[in-house]
């Protein structure tokens, strides 16, 4: 089976919703506690792609196995060249290198649309996400301690950063 990376479309919203819902309900990478509904994801895909920012999926035999997108890090104009990434892989597909494929392509596409820095905001300081980002050249830029509380645990948020400039 061949993994294919390509742009997300509105028809991917349900698969994306389902992948994210699993992580919300079972993990600490997201500080959401209630999974967003289908219209939220339909709107998010439309908003990101309308702005010309990358929202991509990884598929195998037409099934969405994971997704990633980049959005401006903060709304203020001075942040226009800095983006934040978001990457989620279906639970049953973790460990296959899908996150690495998605992040590598996201870096290229974010640079192509004018971003110069990428920030990863890693909820819970998830070791797998830290390792993924480290492996693709991100360095730790800071840690906010005990800023989240989920599943009866206090959680850190790790900030990582990578330049997209040549």
């Amino acid at each position: 089976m061949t993994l294919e990376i390509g742009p997300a479309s509105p028809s991917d919203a349900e698969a994306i919703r389902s992948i994210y819902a699993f992580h919300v309900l079972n993990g600490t990478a997201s500080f959401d506690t209630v999974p967003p509904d289908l219209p939220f994801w339909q709107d998010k895909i439309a908003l990101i792609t309308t702005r010309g920012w990358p929202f991509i999926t990884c598929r195998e035999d037409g099934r969405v196995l994971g997704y990633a997108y980049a959005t401006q890090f903060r709304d203020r104009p001075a942040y226009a060249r800095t983006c934040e990434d978001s990457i989620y892989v279906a639970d049953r597909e973790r460990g296959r290198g899908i996150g690495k494929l998605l992040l590598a392509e996201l870096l290229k596409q974010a640079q192509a649309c004018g971003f110069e820095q990428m920030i990863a905001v890693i909820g819970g300081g998830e070791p797998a996400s830290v390792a993924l980002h480290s492996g693709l050249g991100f360095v730790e830029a800071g840690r906010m301690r005990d800023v989240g509380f989920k599943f009866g645990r206090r959680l850190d948020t790790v900030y990582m950063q990578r330049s997209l400039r040549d």
Side-chain angles (χ1 to χ4, degrees):
M1 307 279 174
T2 303
L3 298 175
E4 298 175 349
I5 305 292
S9 71
S11 63
D12 297 326
E14 176 54 33
I16 290 167
R17 185 208 62 75
S18 178
I19 290 167
Y20 187 70
F22 176 87
H23 289 281
V24 168
L25 296 173
N26 297 285
T28 58
S30 168
F31 282 8
D32 276 334
T33 56
V34 176
D37 61 11
L38 183 61
F40 169 88
W41 285 106
Q42 291 166 330
D43 292 346
K44 189 167 197 91
I45 292 168
L47 176 68
I48 291 169
T49 56
T50 298
R51 290 189 174 171
W53 299 335
F55 197 134
I56 58 176
T57 61
C58 179
R59 298 173 185 277
E60 185 175 57
D61 291 335
R63 275 185 323 117
V64 175
L65 308 180
Y67 68 90
Y69 59 84
T71 55
Q72 186 173 313
F73 178 62
R74 298 283 185 260
D75 290 335
R76 293 185 179 107
Y79 286 112
R81 294 186 178 140
T82 301
C83 65
E84 178 180 344
D85 71 329
S86 186
I87 303 166
Y88 287 91
V89 175
D91 179 57
R92 67 188 177 280
E93 305 298 338
R94 291 193 283 185
R96 295 182 59 194
I98 292 168
K100 185 175 182 179
L101 288 172
L102 284 165
L103 183 54
E105 181 61 24
L106 190 66
L107 289 164
K108 292 176 196 169
Q109 290 193 25
Q111 181 183 37
C113 68
F115 289 119
E116 296 179 359
Q117 298 288 324
M118 184 176 281
I119 307 295
V121 180
I122 302 172
E126 292 292 322
S129 188
V130 170
L132 168 65
H133 286 85
S134 293
L136 287 171
F138 285 74
V139 295
E140 188 167 326
R143 178 181 292 261
M144 297 189 323
R145 300 191 185 283
D146 294 341
V147 294
F149 188 80
K150 190 172 179 183
F151 304 130
R153 295 175 34 210
R154 284 179 174 64
L155 301 166
D156 295 353
T157 296
V158 173
Y159 282 78
M160 298 186 80
Q161 181 175 353
R162 180 183 159 170
S163 176
L164 302 178
R165 289 187 222 126
D166 291 328

